């Protein structure tokens, strides 16, 4: 680590360096191990998949966060092997990489936060990760190029890297947030606080230089995740490795307190919202990104339940792929969501086009106009249930032949 | 109705006649109105979709069954228009057809049981159904050809008619069951007793000549449906019209009682099982029919919950389409089912091939052998959860490009 080169990089939070190298894990030969180091450490909050089946790095990550109270010195990510369904040997291999990284970067072994993404069930090549550490130490830095290299190395089926930034100006001092994500298939994150069993081909790392305790960070992370990563679905498949990690170095000197709470939380939501959108937009075979805006619900939870039923309906999603304003399928999907409602109170619009009003097809329904709006890559379907004031926005996409081709490509 | 021609048709239950005509509702011009008449009436039990959005014939059918205590004289089915999301005019139109049929076939109007299947949201052409009744009266009969004509006329996207028969010999007297079904897409029936809101592009009519009260028929119908129609899914989309109707004419003279209960229930389960299999086998774009046999569960409900998560997983279903023995996807899908389990206790086999054992890939895993078994049109995946003695069998299928093509075919 070249400490005399840690400059105040434009837009990047202070207190971190990033790097990536090729360790020979990805079959493609691309860079596949990424590292982020907080030289003076960072406080963190993490959320993990609720899938019962969890990968070794999720088990180890949870354990580490619990034992350090959220203190993190190093984030160590590999792509190409998910280290999942690898039994105790997989957990041991993960711990080995943490121990080696702690030694090299001068922190305690459980201050190393590990992540993996890639193929399930193949023994984890920890020796390759360990062997890559000296080169990583040389490669790390605080420039935008360094940060981007981290973002690229964690990709698997993504076609592009996913980053987002925001900053909050507090009396002339910039507090910055830099977010990185990966994820293109097996996307229906159901992240929770790290207790109990856990899903993830979605990895998200949020770096900030605000000064905050881990408990405070949990308090801002959970609502940001709920409205972003927990409100998207590509294919309804919730993975075994999903992880969101928020790290605060404190290097800006600005504290997270009653005054800075709201602007910081809003900036975090912007970053998370942007990354969540990029994940869906880059989904396997995606032709259309569709926002389901469910309104007039009794509770936000019920609104989301309706949205999920629609987002997971193959009949709705195939209709979107051909820009077919088939509202009957939307209505039927909402109808089997498990939420009690009366179709006679429901109104549906596709983009600006009314299609269904109070139990019957809208008198103003114009099929060609609705079809035209659905040709856009990105549009919103609004369904008002007429039962209350609660609502939610849920981001999803169409189901295409391309998705099937990609995922039926044996052996992937 | 030509009463002097009601012969003891080989294998068909006595006390019924069937017929079908072309009423001009289906765009294809094929026969699209079907009728079954019990000249001396029949006792019945019905189960309807649990979709909140229900078609007019489901609303009317429920009402009729409630008011007659299950007594049915006529079953009147049309294909080509689902009479759903048609508001009060749709309900009135449905009632009109029932009144006209009751008049022609000499029963009370609520002894007419209506069903519709087809496009949603288009006003219902009741005048075409009413106009078809005289020709239906001429066409009806008790031969196998008449029964088959009923089975064909109710088809929509089905490629073949679906029928099944069974008989129980009671002291030399035959009690017969003849079952008819339709359904090829929008198949994930969730049928319940007819209370509350209700899904259906699946219609099932089970005719028998046993003598039984409606309450007894409900008692045998519900378990038969639970293990068959409520244990299948093509695409997870639960329709607005799903209906299963069991009618008993009593014409055999054999009573459903303590002695005949078990053989009759078993025969009914055979018929329902056969029809359920045919529905999945004829599913849109289906290449493989996959039975998910979930064992070692705490409860049957939990076993089914795991099965449903797998059956609705696009990643699992696309893998099946290319005969890919990707057990990681099966495990991940089970893991997000909501059922708590420990992957370290789980065993998975594909056909006869072990693929996953107690938390890790099976030592005996032979990819090519598993792939070969998955080339069969029809095979079983067994997942043992290691938690108890409960199990379930759930029938589903792969997700193919063909399915997407069919359902993205705008405007369908």
């Amino acid at each position: 680590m070249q400490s005399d080169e840690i400059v105040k990089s434009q837009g990047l939070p202070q207190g971190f360096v990033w790097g990536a190298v090729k360790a020979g894990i990805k079959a493609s030969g691309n860079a596949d191990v990424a590292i982020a180091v907080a030289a003076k450490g960072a406080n963190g909050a993490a959320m993990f998949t609720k899938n019962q089946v969890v990968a070794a790095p999720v088990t180890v990550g949870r354990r580490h966060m619990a034992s350090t109270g959220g203190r993190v010195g190093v984030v160590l990510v590999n792509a190409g092997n998910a280290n999942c369904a690898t039994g105790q040997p997989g957990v041991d291999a993960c711990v080995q990489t943490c121990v080696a990284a702690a030694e090299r970067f001068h922190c305690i072994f459980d201050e190393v936060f590990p992540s993996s993404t890639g193929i399930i069930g193949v023994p984890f090549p920890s020796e390759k990760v360990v062997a890559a550490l000296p080169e990583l130490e040389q490669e790390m830095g605080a420039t935008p190029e360094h940060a981007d290299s981290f973002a690229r190395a964690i990709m698997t089926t993504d076609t592009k890297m996913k980053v987002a930034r925001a900053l909050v100006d507090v009396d002339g001092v910039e507090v910055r947030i830099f977010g990185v994500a990966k994820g293109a298939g097996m996307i229906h994150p159901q992240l929770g606080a790290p207790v109990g069993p856990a899903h993830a081909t979605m990895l998200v790392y949020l770096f900030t230089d605000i000064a905050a305790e881990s408990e405070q960070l949990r308090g801002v992370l959970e609502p940001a995740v709920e409205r972003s990563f927990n409100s998207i679905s590509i294919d309804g498949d919730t993975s075994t490795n999903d992880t969101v990690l928020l790290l605060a170095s404190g290097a800006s000197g600005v504290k997270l307190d009653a005054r800075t709470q709201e602007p910081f939380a809003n900036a975090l939501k912007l970053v998370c919202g942007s990354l969540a959108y990029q994940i869906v937009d880059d989904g396997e075979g995606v032709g259309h990104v569709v926002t389901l805006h469910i309104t007039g619900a009794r509770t936000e939870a019920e609104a989301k339940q309706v949205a999920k039923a629609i987002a997971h309906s193959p009949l709705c999603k195939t209709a979107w792929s051909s820009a077919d304003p088939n509202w009957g399928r939307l209505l039927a999907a909402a109808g089997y969501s498990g939420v009690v409602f009366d179709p006679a109170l429901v109104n549906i619009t596709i983009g600006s086009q009314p299609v269904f009003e109070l139990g019957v097809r809208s008198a103003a329904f114009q099929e060609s106009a609705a079809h035209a709006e659905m040709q856009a890559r990105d549009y919103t379907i609004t369904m008002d249930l007429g039962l209350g004031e609660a609502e939610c926005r849920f981001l999803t996409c169409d189901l295409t032949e391309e998705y099937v081709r990609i995922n039926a490509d044996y052996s992937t």
Side-chain angles (χ1 to χ4, degrees), chain A residues 185-190 199 233-239 242 312 403:
Chain A
M186 199 178 261
I187 293 293
H188 178 49
Q190 295 185 83
H199 165 359
S233 177
I234 290 177
D235 52 14
D237 280 286
T238 298
S239 158
D242 280 342
H312 299 155
Y403 176 93

Side-chain angles (χ1 to χ4, degrees), chain A residues 325-394:
Chain A
N326 189 322
W327 51 266
R329 293 181 183 184
L330 297 171
L331 192 68
Y336 65 72
S337 67
V339 172
V340 175
F341 68 91
D342 181 357
L345 301 176
V346 173
N347 291 295
I348 303 174
T349 51
I350 296 179
S352 69
Q353 298 296 313
V355 297
F356 185 79
E357 266 167 61
L358 300 175
V360 291
R361 191 177 77 176
S362 172
F365 178 64
Q366 286 184 70
E367 192 172 326
S368 52
H371 174 59
E373 291 206 26
M374 294 177 82
Q375 306 274 33
R377 174 150 179 101
D378 183 334
Y379 59 89
T380 297
I381 293 174
T382 303
M383 181 182 288
D384 188 281
L385 303 176
L387 301 169
E389 302 303 317
E391 58 176 276
C392 90
R393 283 179 196 275
F394 196 95

Side-chain angles (χ1 to χ4, degrees), chain A residues 124-256:
Chain A
F124 186 68
S126 54
E127 68 290 350
K128 292 185 179 175
V129 177
V130 171
L133 294 175
E135 198 189 339
L136 274 167
E137 191 177 20
Q138 289 304 307
E139 292 295 317
M140 297 183 333
T143 71
E145 289 70 36
H146 285 102
D148 287 355
S149 74
F150 179 98
R152 284 204 184 82
I154 67 172
M155 288 166 51
T156 53
T157 49
D158 314 66
T159 65
K160 54 190 104 166
M161 71 172 187
K162 301 171 175 76
V163 297
R165 298 162 207 248
L167 69 88
V168 182
D169 190 300
V170 182
D171 297 333
V173 179
E174 282 189 10
V175 171
R176 300 176 186 139
I177 305 174
F178 169 60
V180 180
K182 64 83 58 184
M186 199 178 261
I187 293 293
H188 178 49
Q190 295 185 83
L191 300 136
V195 287
H199 165 359
T201 304
M202 186 194 75
L203 300 178
V204 179
Y205 307 96
L206 306 161
F207 303 94
T208 180
D209 48 18
I210 205 163
E213 299 302 313
S214 289
E215 199 176 312
Q216 289 178 289
L217 294 173
R218 271 198 294 277
V220 290
L221 182 62
E222 283 174 23
V225 167
E226 194 51 38
R227 294 270 169 89
S228 61
F229 307 113
N230 278 355
S231 293
I232 67 175
S233 177
I234 290 177
D235 52 14
D237 280 286
T238 298
S239 158
T240 52
N241 290 49
D242 280 342
T243 301
V244 179
L245 176 68
L246 170 62
L247 288 185
S249 66
S252 67
V254 177
K255 282 191 157 73
L256 181 60

Side-chain angles (χ1 to χ4, degrees), chain A residues 275-357:
Chain A
L275 292 173
Y277 184 91
Q278 292 177 57
I279 287 170
V280 178
D281 189 49
D282 193 33
E284 292 164 344
V286 167
H288 298 275
V289 177
V290 179
T291 299
L292 300 174
H293 188 199
I294 311 300
T295 63
R298 283 181 206 90
T299 64
E300 188 176 344
E302 286 202 341
K304 187 175 269 192
Q305 196 175 334
V306 169
K308 283 186 178 183
I310 297 170
H312 299 155
S313 155
L315 285 175
C316 290
K317 294 164 85 75
T318 49
W320 300 337
S321 76
S322 61
D324 177 357
N326 189 322
W327 51 266
R329 293 181 183 184
L330 297 171
L331 192 68
Y336 65 72
S337 67
V339 172
V340 175
F341 68 91
D342 181 357
L345 301 176
V346 173
N347 291 295
I348 303 174
T349 51
I350 296 179
S352 69
Q353 298 296 313
V355 297
F356 185 79
E357 266 167 61

